[in-house]
Amino acid sequence: MKLVLFKPRNIGFLLRMIKENLTSKIIKKPELAGSVKEFVINNAIKNNADSVLDAMDKYAKQERFLMNVGDIKGKILVQEIIKLGENPIILELGCFCGYSAILMAKNIGEKGRIVSIEVNKNYAKIASEIIDFAGLKEKVVIIEGPSEKIIPTLRHQFDLVFIDHWKDLYKRDLIAIEKRGLLKKGSVIFADNVGNLISALVGERGNSNNYLNYVRNHPKFESINIKTSLEYSSAEDAVEISVSYTHLRAHETRHDLVCRLLLE
């Protein structure tokens, strides 16, 4: 029995998922990503990123659940991006409908860039169209294909890596990123959905424990786990923020280092 599903704070989300799954079996609904795009076009203001994000949040809360980073965890992500300076270069693993790409792109300067890898052809197409509608296509490059094939072709080092695809791929892809030399001192790795609830819901594909063990015991990373809520719910979730190891200041511990980097 997956007891985490029945914690009081998780019951509401569990009931919503059961209801949506049952409804989808009774009533044929349009394809999800296309439905999101139509909702955005009908409810958001063109070339207004905030309006587009608000529309996607509204859809996820009132229509059908969306696996976006969401408005609550999105604030944590934006805090990390702002600390990187005006024009960071960001790698995203898992674009879905483009929510997080839009969120990140609107918080970087004109010379900042988002490189987003999305394995699903339809998601990549829809995300590109929604990002274009938001007026941010010049800042976001979506590469369609499996991450294990695309990562070895990348050349630039990244200031931040946002990981939000299948959780059982987190460790594999971070190792590939390291081997390719895509991190530098002070690079931030932001891993979404590393709470136990995701694993209970979707099984091994949602299990990030091997990733957490890897970054927490890695000699060149310092990590902080932030307990938070699953997108568009009060259910439990967490993000893991890891900082690529840099030189310590005098009398500074590695824990002091990561706290300093995350606060600067």
Side-chain angles (χ1 to χ4, degrees), residues 54-73:
D54 287 344
M56 296 177 83
D57 286 335
K58 183 177 180 180
Y59 181 98
K61 292 174 181 177
Q62 300 180 3
E63 302 292 330
R64 296 159 71 182
F65 175 75
L66 297 177
M67 49 188 177
N68 302 326
V69 67
D71 47 353
I72 303 301
K73 289 182 293 181

Side-chain angles (χ1 to χ4, degrees), residues 7-263:
K7 288 184 178 181
R9 67 177 293 187
N10 298 335
I11 291 294
F13 178 75
L14 178 62
L15 291 175
R16 179 185 179 183
M17 291 297 94
I18 292 173
K19 180 181 178 181
E20 286 197 9
N21 287 333
L22 288 175
T23 302
S24 66
K25 293 179 180 179
I26 298 171
I27 304 172
K28 185 176 181 181
K29 293 187 176 183
E31 185 274 326
L32 182 58
S35 177
V36 172
K37 185 187 80 169
E38 182 179 358
F39 189 88
V40 167
I41 292 173
N42 290 334
N43 292 275
I45 302 169
K46 186 175 177 61
N47 296 323
N48 186 319
D50 287 324
S51 176
V52 170
L53 293 175
D54 287 344
M56 296 177 83
D57 286 335
K58 183 177 180 180
Y59 181 98
K61 292 174 181 177
Q62 300 180 3
E63 302 292 330
R64 296 159 71 182
F65 175 75
L66 297 177
M67 49 188 177
N68 302 326
V69 67
D71 47 353
I72 303 301
K73 289 182 293 181
K75 292 177 182 177
I76 304 174
L77 177 59
V78 169
Q79 288 173 356
E80 296 308 314
I81 292 173
I82 291 173
K83 296 169 190 173
L84 298 173
E86 187 177 1
N87 295 302
I89 306 300
I90 298 172
L91 175 63
E92 176 181 50
L93 304 183
C95 190
F96 187 36
C97 293
Y99 182 100
S100 49
I102 292 170
L103 179 66
M104 293 187 289
K106 86 179 192 71
N107 283 286
I108 61 177
E110 291 302 318
K111 295 182 179 179
R113 291 293 180 271
I114 314 292
V115 177
S116 184
I117 300 174
E118 175 53 58
V119 68
N120 185 293
K121 182 177 181 179
N122 183 54
Y123 289 169
K125 177 178 180 294
I126 295 296
S128 179
E129 292 169 351
I130 294 177
I131 291 167
D132 187 9
F133 184 84
L136 293 169
K137 67 177 182 178
E138 300 301 324
K139 292 184 180 180
V140 182
V141 176
I142 298 177
I143 305 176
E144 178 203 326
S147 53
E148 70 269 23
K149 291 185 178 180
I150 295 172
I151 289 172
T153 69
L154 300 177
R155 298 181 180 181
H156 298 287
Q157 290 186 315
F158 295 93
D159 298 291
L160 184 142
V161 179
F162 177 59
I163 311 179
D164 194 23
H165 54 350
W166 284 115
K167 315 313 165 189
D168 61 335
L169 302 181
Y170 281 20
K171 177 183 175 181
R172 183 202 71 182
D173 285 352
L174 178 57
I175 291 173
I177 287 168
E178 291 179 85
K179 288 182 177 179
R180 184 61 178 168
L182 303 179
L183 300 178
K184 54 188 176 182
K185 291 179 179 179
S187 291
V188 175
I189 301 95
F190 191 111
D192 191 18
N193 298 131
V194 297
N196 292 328
L197 181 60
I198 298 299
S199 177
L201 285 169
V202 302
E204 283 304 309
R205 298 240 68 182
N207 192 332
S208 58
N209 286 336
N210 64 347
Y211 172 83
L212 296 177
N213 290 333
Y214 180 74
V215 293
R216 292 172 183 177
N217 293 287
H218 197 297
K220 293 186 178 180
F221 292 139
E222 278 290 348
S223 298
I224 289 179
N225 186 270
I226 300 177
K227 304 298 183 185
T228 182
S229 298
L230 188 67
E231 44 266 34
Y232 312 116
S233 77
S234 61
E236 64 184 74
D237 197 12
V239 299
E240 188 87 358
I241 303 175
S242 306
V243 181
S244 181
Y245 188 74
T246 60
H247 294 298
L248 297 172
R249 293 175 179 172
H251 308 298
E252 184 177 51
T253 67
R254 291 179 68 198
H255 178 74
D256 292 336
L257 167 68
V258 72
C259 289
R260 168 169 59 83
L261 290 173
L262 291 174
L263 290 172

